[in-house]
Amino acid sequence: MTASSDTPQQARPELGLTELAAAIATGARTSCDAVTDALDRIDAAQPALNAFRIVRREQALAEAREADRRLAAGERLPLLGVPIAIKDDTDLSGTPTAFGCGGDFPPKTEDAEAVRRLRAAGAVIVGKTNTCELGQWPFTSGAAFGHTRNPWHRDHTPGGSSGGSAAAVSAGLVPAALGSDGAGSVRIPSAWTNLVGIKPQRGRISTWPEPEAFYGLTVNGPLARTVADAALLLDAAAGPHPGDRHTPDPITAVDALGRDPGRLRIALSLRIPFTATRTRLDPEVAAGVERIAAALRRAGHSVTVADLHYGILVGASFLPRSMAGIHAWHRRIPHATVDPRTAANARIGRILDGPALFAARRAEPLLRHRIGSFFHDYDLVLAPTTATPPPRADAIDGIGAMATDNLITAACPYTWPWNVLGWPSINIPAGFTESGLPVGAQLMGTAATEPLLISVASQLESDLRWDRQRPEQWW
């Protein structure tokens, strides 16, 4: 029996990131115990859930033993000894970065900056989670590894492209994980697995060894069951590398937890950004967004229906950067085995990597100015994260490029404009469909508004308590 046929279950004993970090720091648990438990859960779930591409059992246990030695010596760090997962697009020394593709890849010799910072905070990286090829689709599947399944229903996708990270956290395999978001790839799987997912301000978490990722579209961000856990992971991973192209002023995310944001003016916008594909908001997703709007009103905020008009130019800025980014990645891994749709997108990217890409980058300040004027009247925007509940895991199998584009656009038309703008957004769990599938809503702000988003999200969590709902274990 799957989770979708029953009422969501009450919380099982897996601790969240904040709780587990505290338990290890106080000696209530050892790192070896916590890491072993995580590895054992990963091994047990992997045949059915398929969340991980790489599992580092021997290395992670050795790092856990070292963490326990450091703890016994009195050392304290925010995540010392805590098991964390990262995504298959992120460099981890000693492991390959396949980014969802097939083939043999040499192990990396250095950590990505975000991983270096997680390790500096004491985290134990237990493995790398599955993602679709080059992060292109809101599905986590591919010929190289099969299908990653949604913990709430095995027939459905957890979303993508950070679907492995979402499945691992939602299933309780790890307390939190790092993902990346170039068109919604943190927020979409968070919405479809009942998680909090933060797309931070561009540059908040370094993408080094890339000065920027996908020409500024893609950022790294946390996925967790609670706002506090997402904020803790954001703080641990955040910070610049000297070679970064974008370096926003620092924030401390955890300081915003429980902070009164005051009475805010929030625009409720259900309008779908311009697409060439016919799209429609599913009534059950709309009902979830309305649940969040009602909770915001209970918290004292003004929520007004006011559609944000993105305009065609946002899409014209997104497409060349996305496709040229796929081309750049594909060129770096010429011997990889990829889906014909990936190869086709790379060819399109090669064509757009020129005047079209240049014009797309030049348009961004104008877009920020025009869309930013909407925030003269509103502090935040509330919108759906996706247009539909999670599709079946095999929905894009065996179909052509155009059919794939139509399907993914119809399911996920809401998130990508904020990647063009580079501004932060957070997915909030918004309840479940009648069949038990999670849906989400996103709060969106202007530049560097992560603290405001986090303070409002923590208000909502104290009311709605989505963290108490866990999928029934079927894996």
Side-chain angles (χ1 to χ4, degrees):
M1 183 178 292
T2 62
S4 64
S5 59
D6 295 301
T7 300
Q9 301 296 298
Q10 292 300 310
R12 296 197 304 274
E14 296 93 9
L15 298 178
L17 185 67
T18 305
E19 297 167 324
L20 185 56
I24 293 173
T26 60
R29 294 195 68 178
T30 67
S31 177
C32 280
D33 174 54
V35 171
T36 298
D37 280 355
L39 291 166
D40 288 348
R41 287 195 296 269
I42 291 167
D43 287 348
Q46 187 64 10
L49 202 63
N50 192 22
F52 280 80
R53 184 74 181 263
I54 294 171
V55 180
R56 304 174 67 243
R57 176 172 282 272
E58 291 184 7
Q59 301 95 320
L61 288 174
E63 291 166 15
R65 289 191 292 270
E66 174 63 13
D68 284 332
R69 185 197 65 75
R70 294 164 67 186
L71 286 157
E75 187 173 355
R76 295 294 181 268
L77 293 169
L79 297 178
L80 185 53
V82 180
I84 296 292
I86 62 171
K87 187 177 174 182
D88 189 33
D89 64 346
T90 305
D91 288 354
L92 177 65
S93 179
T95 67
T97 300
F99 206 166
C101 300
D104 294 324
F105 301 89
K108 295 295 181 177
T109 58
E110 294 184 5
D111 291 335
E113 177 65 17
V115 172
R116 188 195 69 78
R117 288 181 176 271
L118 289 176
R119 288 189 192 264
V124 176
I125 311 299
V126 294
K128 300 182 73 171
T129 56
N130 277 324
T131 179
C132 59
E133 290 180 5
L134 308 187
Q136 300 164 91
W137 303 303
F139 291 79
T140 299
S141 59
F145 60 89
H147 296 89
T148 297
R149 304 285 176 172
N150 193 316
W152 294 89
H153 196 305
R154 68 187 306 159
D155 292 338
H156 290 261
T157 181
S161 62
S162 304
S165 289
V169 176
S170 185
L173 310 185
V174 290
L178 199 65
S180 61
D181 189 314
S185 288
V186 163
R187 290 163 288 163
I188 291 165
S190 295
W192 285 346
T193 57
N194 195 50
L195 297 178
V196 175
I198 300 177
K199 175 215 170 297
Q201 176 73 24
R202 182 184 299 151
R204 179 74 61 212
I205 300 177
S206 175
T207 55
W208 191 263
E210 302 300 319
E212 62 175 2
F214 281 76
Y215 298 99
L217 293 179
T218 297
V219 301
N220 295 318
L223 301 91
R225 292 195 292 261
T226 69
V227 180
D229 289 353
L232 177 59
L233 188 59
L234 175 58
D235 280 343
H241 183 278
D244 287 348
R245 180 168 177 175
H246 309 281
T247 54
D249 291 338
I251 62 164
T252 304
V254 296
D255 286 351
L257 297 167
R259 180 190 297 165
D260 183 0
R263 186 176 187 270
L264 300 178
R265 304 161 302 164
I266 299 175
L268 171 58
S269 177
L270 302 182
R271 181 184 179 89
I272 294 174
F274 173 80
T275 68
T277 301
R278 293 187 63 182
T279 55
R280 171 181 172 270
L281 178 61
D282 186 282
E284 290 192 287
V285 177
V289 179
E290 292 289 351
R291 280 193 287 271
I292 300 300
L296 288 167
R297 293 186 180 106
R298 287 195 298 272
H301 303 297
S302 169
V303 181
T304 305
V305 175
D307 280 330
L308 179 57
H309 295 264
Y310 295 94
I312 297 175
L313 190 58
V314 177
S317 180
F318 174 80
L319 186 64
R321 295 160 75 172
S322 174
M323 291 298 177
I326 292 169
H327 167 58
W329 257 97
H330 187 252
R331 187 174 53 199
R332 252 181 264 160
I333 50 174
H335 302 299
T337 304
V338 298
D339 188 285
R341 292 168 291 190
T342 299
N345 284 340
R347 288 193 294 271
I348 295 171
R350 183 177 60 199
I351 296 169
L352 296 177
D353 188 359
L357 178 60
F358 178 79
R361 299 305 304 265
R362 289 290 299 270
E364 185 181 312
L366 299 175
L367 291 168
R368 281 201 296 264
H369 177 75
R370 185 176 65 78
I371 295 174
S373 66
F374 186 83
F375 289 89
H376 295 163
D377 298 316
Y378 299 97
D379 300 299
L380 296 175
V381 175
L382 170 67
T385 302
T386 68
T388 71
R392 290 183 62 88
D394 59 359
I396 62 169
D397 290 5
I399 64 175
M402 182 173 293
T404 300
D405 289 343
N406 289 341
L407 191 158
I408 67 176
T409 302
C412 301
Y414 282 102
T415 48
W416 57 270
W418 245 242
N419 295 87
V420 172
L421 299 167
W423 292 340
S425 175
I426 183 169
N427 175 74
I428 302 298
F432 299 83
T433 67
E434 288 187 4
S435 61
L437 293 170
V439 296
Q442 59 174 333
L443 288 167
M444 303 178 288
T446 53
T449 53
E450 293 101 324
L452 180 61
L453 294 169
I454 287 167
S455 66
V456 176
S458 62
Q459 275 188 332
L460 290 168
E461 185 175 80
S462 66
D463 178 6
L464 300 174
R465 294 314 305 267
W466 54 71
D467 55 307
R468 293 178 176 175
Q469 306 300 326
R470 308 286 178 86
E472 179 187 356
Q473 187 168 329
W474 53 262
W475 48 91

